[in-house]
Amino acid sequence: MNRTRVATAAAAAVTTLALVAAGPASAAAGRAARPDQATAHPHHARPTIVLVHGAWADGSSWDAVTRRLRHEGYDVRIAPDPLRGVATDTAALKAYLSTVKGPVVLVGHSYGGIVISNAATGNKNVKSLVYVDAYIPDTGETLAELTGAEDGSALNVPDPGTVFDFVPIPDSGGDVDLYVKPELFPKIFAGGVDAHEAAALAAAQRPLAASALEEPSGAPAWKSIPSWALIGTADRVLPPAEQSKLAERAHARTVKTDAPHLSMVPEPDAVTELITDAARH
């Protein structure tokens, strides 16, 4: 199938989903409306929400937020994050965003903040950036550097082997995947979350390539795109003090909530409210 046919099919699918989400009454109204009225319907002006998970998580971490956003009528996409490194992950997200038509609100959690900061640069469709317990890097900064910039990160330790399990990456020249030790994961990432759910999150974690820790970030999109930030005040991965400094530097509209690093799990309402605020901007 050529690119034109794919784009046409995608546009038709989006229109169909919009009518289904709006319900039978709205669909009937749409059929009865004049073309200029249908085009002006507020639903069509809504941005697509693209969610990007961070390291040691996966797309399911967004489940509760996704349900709430869809309930409010938003088209929500969860972009795959390979977790192979800044350049690789940025290229993957850029390719994904090229398939999303119209305005976009781009949301990143944790390391996903680095990825969205790079991938949105130069993309005119991205209208807002939302950082959820996320890294908001400037040019040249690294994940390891920002994690250790303030005291308090449970990942910033003299011996990484006390926090991570190492799994060799085949044909990588010696690189390894980092997994947070399952017994440590709940208290580091999900403090206060139900024990069974926290254990499930630990089991589902996707690893980060160790080389990504020292890979410098590129020119950040937050310098030209309005930003929002949610800070979990019980975060033990990226200290709240560092998050506050990064958000202030980016001139982000900021809210705080009493939540751990995976704040969207116990506090999906707060995260959803911030995203919808960015979407209404």
Side-chain angles (χ1 to χ4, degrees):
M1 184 179 289
N2 62 36
R3 187 181 303 272
T4 301
R5 291 177 63 191
V6 169
T8 301
V14 168
T15 302
T16 300
L17 286 171
L19 290 173
V20 171
S26 294
R31 288 193 296 270
R34 296 194 306 270
D36 58 333
Q37 289 176 322
T39 302
H41 195 287
H43 180 83
H44 295 278
R46 283 190 167 187
T48 298
I49 311 296
V50 178
L51 307 173
V52 181
H53 67 80
W56 307 296
D58 66 6
S60 68
S61 61
W62 290 112
D63 281 355
V65 171
T66 298
R67 287 194 297 271
R68 284 161 173 78
L69 289 170
R70 286 180 57 82
H71 180 73
E72 295 192 23
Y74 288 99
D75 180 11
V76 183
R77 318 285 181 88
I78 301 178
D81 190 352
L83 303 178
R84 300 295 82 189
V86 176
T88 298
D89 301 338
T90 295
L93 183 55
K94 280 187 174 182
Y96 186 87
L97 291 173
S98 72
T99 70
V100 181
K101 306 306 178 185
V104 170
V105 172
L106 190 56
V107 186
H109 171 251
S110 190
Y111 166 74
I114 294 180
V115 181
I116 70 170
S117 294
N118 285 268
T121 299
N123 187 329
K124 295 181 179 179
N125 281 352
V126 179
K127 305 302 182 183
S128 304
L129 298 169
V130 181
Y131 296 90
V132 179
D133 291 295
Y135 295 82
I136 312 177
D138 205 343
T139 305
E141 293 178 339
T142 69
L143 181 63
E145 175 187 353
L146 294 178
T147 301
E150 293 284 341
D151 293 336
S153 175
L155 301 185
N156 185 35
V157 294
D159 179 6
T162 61
V163 176
F164 298 109
D165 291 327
F166 308 118
V167 177
I169 301 175
D171 303 319
S172 67
D175 201 3
V176 297
D177 268 330
L178 302 177
Y179 288 83
V180 177
K181 291 181 180 295
E183 66 273 20
L184 299 179
F185 188 99
K187 68 179 182 181
I188 294 176
F189 281 79
V193 175
D194 173 80
H196 294 291
E197 185 173 11
L201 290 167
Q205 66 171 294
R206 293 188 55 235
L208 179 72
S211 57
L213 295 172
E214 300 293 348
E215 188 173 349
S217 188
W222 54 260
K223 289 191 174 182
S224 58
I225 300 175
S227 300
W228 282 252
L230 181 138
I231 298 171
T233 57
D235 196 324
R236 296 193 61 200
V237 174
L238 182 58
E242 178 63 11
Q243 289 188 50
S244 295
K245 287 183 178 180
L246 297 178
E248 183 178 357
R249 181 177 68 181
H251 304 291
R253 299 163 177 82
T254 303
V255 299
K256 296 182 179 181
T257 186
D258 182 14
H261 189 62
L262 282 166
S263 58
M264 61 277 225
V265 176
E267 294 291 340
D269 289 334
V271 175
T272 300
E273 184 176 351
L274 186 70
I275 294 171
T276 55
D277 184 45
R280 289 189 296 264
H281 176 70

